[in-house]
Amino acid sequence: MKLLLPISATYTHAAEGGGFVKSSPAQPIPDLQFRFTPAHLDDHGHTLSSAAYTMLGHGYALHVCDLRPKSRGDITLASADPAAAPLINPNYLSHPGGLRRRAAPKSV
């Protein structure tokens, strides 16, 4: 396999480490995923100033992902125009168990 870019110390895919855990011993399989990123994230780089801070700042971040969320959002058409962006309502943490599951693991 030939690499298109040289490998160097500056090359990263951002999520440098992580793992899967159960939110409680009652879970048959892990239901949470942790991801470690050796970068300080400011609003995930959505603006030019936050992107610069993320790239040039110092820090780290640990993210938690619920692998089986019960909250449900919806996507609807904004208009009959096919070029119009859809209306997206993610409805994060609308199910009461979602926040409890994320807060459950006190130690890993």
Side-chain angles (χ1 to χ4, degrees):
M1 178 177 157
K2 183 177 180 182
L3 295 174
L4 298 177
L5 298 172
I7 294 178
S8 73
T10 60
Y11 180 78
T12 180
H13 55 74
E16 297 293 345
F20 298 89
V21 297
K22 296 178 184 181
S23 61
S24 79
Q27 295 293 327
I29 60 175
D31 57 343
L32 296 175
Q33 178 182 8
F34 288 104
R35 289 176 290 196
F36 173 78
T37 303
H40 181 274
L41 297 179
D42 182 24
D43 193 28
H44 294 278
H46 288 142
T47 65
L48 184 57
S49 64
S50 66
Y53 185 74
T54 296
M55 290 171 42
L56 303 174
H58 299 282
Y60 58 88
L62 180 64
H63 298 264
V64 170
C65 175
D66 186 348
L67 297 174
R68 287 182 292 287
K70 293 190 171 154
S71 298
R72 296 291 181 251
D74 55 75
I75 300 173
T76 57
L77 298 176
S79 72
D81 178 6
L87 301 173
I88 302 173
N89 173 18
N91 216 17
Y92 296 127
L93 301 175
S94 60
H95 188 276
L99 190 55
R100 276 196 308 270
R101 183 170 30 253
R102 286 182 180 204
K106 303 291 187 265
S107 64
V108 177

